[in-house]
Amino acid sequence: MTALAVARATLLRVLRDRTALFFMVLLPVAIIVVIGVTVSGFDQFRIGLVPPPRPGPVAGELTADLQDSPGLRTRTYDTAADATTALRRAELDAVVLVPSGLDADVRAGRSVTVRVLVEPSGSAGHGAVSSVSAVVAEHAARLQAARFAGDVTGGAFDDNLTLARGAEQAAAPIAVRSQTVNGQSDFLPLGYSYSTPTMLVLFVFINALAGGATIVQTRRTGVYARALAAPVSARTLVFGETVAYLLLALLQSVLIIGIGALAFDVAWGDPLAAGALVAVWALVGTGAGVLAGALFRTPEQVHAIGPAVGIGLGMLGGCMWPLALVPDWLRSAGHAVPHAWAVDAWTTLLSRGGDLPAILPDLAVLTAFAAGLVTLASLALRHRLTTSTGA
């Protein structure tokens, strides 16, 4: 029996465990979805739209423009009373009332006022009004162009409006693009680009800790004792288990990265840097998992204590919230655990466009954590096997 045979046996045992597969694949994806949905949309204003009961073409076009605006997240209401109730409950930032006589007033050349309701105490109300006003102004410019064409050349208003739309699409507008030079954002991008990397850090570590129960169970059933009775050294068993846990951590990392990229459109940054970060973090999880398997006496202890420790370290290390939001003393305490350095590295890759040299300081610290944990775990498991007859 070689170390690879030991690793293969451990991998097959874990992959046949449906409970382990649930915690390895389904639970991380479910939490990624929940957190991703929760933190997404903070760069948009929540707008309630109340279109007229029988909207004409002009009112329908204004409604569509508001719905298509990237800075607005709209929801349509049948009545102004329903929208106002939602506004008072802080479910909306503003309510837009599209006038019922909009089409008739525009064709008659009369001025039209689009009412926007906000809560006086709402912090986002004025920003929402500005975003809505920009969309309405763009729509009004199209109507004014159609009216001007009618005054100069004649023709029906609808025909002139069609020409104005065509001219707007054919023209090359001036685009305003903002770019942050040497950006130093301390936050991961919102949405799934926030939840996916943080849950990768959290669950690779937690599952590795919980997976230590497999080593404990193998010890208790006497498998190690029988293996040691054959010409198999304790060093071979330890190396085989370490390889197995490393492969499991890498497999889970690749699954989360693939699901994040394909299902949630997460951009993982520089491939070389991301690959190095995943590999080093897998080593950190491997050391923690093997160490748990060496120290605990029963699988129940691992299942009871391991996830709690993993969640606590994840909270302290910034997997649940950005450490940039906490006091300095708590941020310093958070960097006493490896999770904070992993989240910092992902922030550099995803929010600052960093590459491998940019995350080398974080990788160096994580490598030190990994080396310490793997060394300590190997010594502890070997001591357990050689002094307790494999138990």
Side-chain angles (χ1 to χ4, degrees):
M1 181 183 294
T2 64
L4 293 180
V6 175
R8 180 177 180 274
T10 300
L11 285 173
L12 291 177
R13 187 164 59 251
V14 173
L15 293 178
R16 288 170 182 168
D17 187 347
R18 294 182 178 179
T19 302
L21 291 178
F22 170 79
F23 284 100
M24 183 180 294
V25 180
L26 296 182
L27 183 61
V29 172
I31 296 182
I32 286 170
V33 171
V34 172
I35 297 180
V37 171
T38 301
V39 303
S40 63
F42 285 111
D43 55 347
Q44 294 178 316
F45 293 107
R46 301 167 300 168
I47 303 298
L49 275 177
V50 184
R54 297 178 181 177
V58 176
E61 186 176 0
L62 175 58
T63 302
D65 288 344
L66 291 168
Q67 292 172 336
D68 295 339
S69 176
L72 305 178
R73 190 167 77 247
T74 60
R75 180 178 178 182
T76 302
Y77 292 85
D78 294 330
T79 65
D82 292 340
T84 304
T85 300
L87 179 64
R88 290 172 178 168
R89 292 175 178 172
E91 298 173 5
L92 300 172
D93 297 318
V95 172
V96 179
L97 305 178
V98 181
S100 57
L102 178 60
D103 283 71
D105 290 338
V106 167
R107 285 178 169 82
R110 294 188 290 266
S111 299
V112 180
T113 300
V114 178
R115 296 175 60 199
V116 182
L117 308 180
V118 298
E119 274 289 325
S121 58
S123 59
H126 296 293
V129 170
S130 298
S131 296
V132 170
S133 299
V135 177
V136 173
E138 183 178 354
H139 180 77
R142 204 177 305 135
L143 299 178
Q144 291 173 353
R147 174 59 57 190
F148 178 77
D151 294 340
V152 175
T153 63
F157 176 79
D158 290 335
D159 295 335
N160 292 330
L161 183 57
T162 301
L163 291 175
R165 294 194 193 101
E168 182 183 31
Q169 295 175 357
I174 298 175
V176 178
R177 183 181 65 182
S178 62
Q179 181 177 0
T180 302
V181 180
N182 295 327
Q184 296 296 320
S185 174
D186 294 326
F187 303 93
L188 284 165
L190 295 178
Y192 297 114
S193 294
Y194 175 87
S195 61
T196 309
T198 53
M199 291 304 102
L200 184 152
V201 172
L202 180 66
F203 275 99
V204 167
F205 193 86
I206 288 179
N207 283 332
L209 278 178
T214 303
I215 295 179
V216 177
Q217 185 64 30
T218 304
R219 285 171 25 214
R220 290 169 59 86
T221 55
V223 173
Y224 289 140
R226 292 191 294 271
L228 290 171
V232 179
S233 66
R235 180 179 300 176
T236 299
L237 293 176
V238 171
F239 182 69
E241 293 290 358
T242 303
V243 170
Y245 275 70
L246 177 60
L247 292 176
L248 287 171
L250 289 173
L251 176 61
Q252 185 181 23
S253 300
V254 170
L255 286 174
I256 293 177
I257 288 175
I259 292 172
L262 297 177
F264 306 128
D265 198 27
V266 177
W268 291 96
D270 182 78
L272 181 60
L277 179 55
V278 166
V280 174
W281 185 249
L283 280 171
V284 173
T286 298
V290 176
L291 183 61
L295 297 181
F296 289 106
R297 292 183 174 273
T298 65
E300 292 75 18
Q301 288 179 343
V302 180
H303 292 147
I305 300 175
V309 171
I311 292 174
L313 294 179
M315 295 172 64
L316 184 62
C319 293
M320 307 299 186
W321 49 74
L323 288 182
L325 300 179
V326 303
D328 292 340
W329 68 267
L330 186 55
R331 189 180 309 118
S332 300
H335 282 84
V337 300
H339 301 65
W341 299 94
V343 174
D344 286 349
W346 282 120
T347 302
T348 300
L349 293 181
L350 274 61
S351 296
R352 305 172 191 169
D355 52 8
L356 183 58
I359 64 169
L360 280 180
D362 299 315
L363 287 180
V365 176
L366 290 174
T367 302
F369 272 110
L373 285 171
V374 170
T375 301
L376 185 60
S378 300
L379 294 175
L381 183 56
R382 186 179 179 186
H383 176 75
R384 175 77 73 172
L385 295 180
T386 55
T387 60
S388 305
T389 318

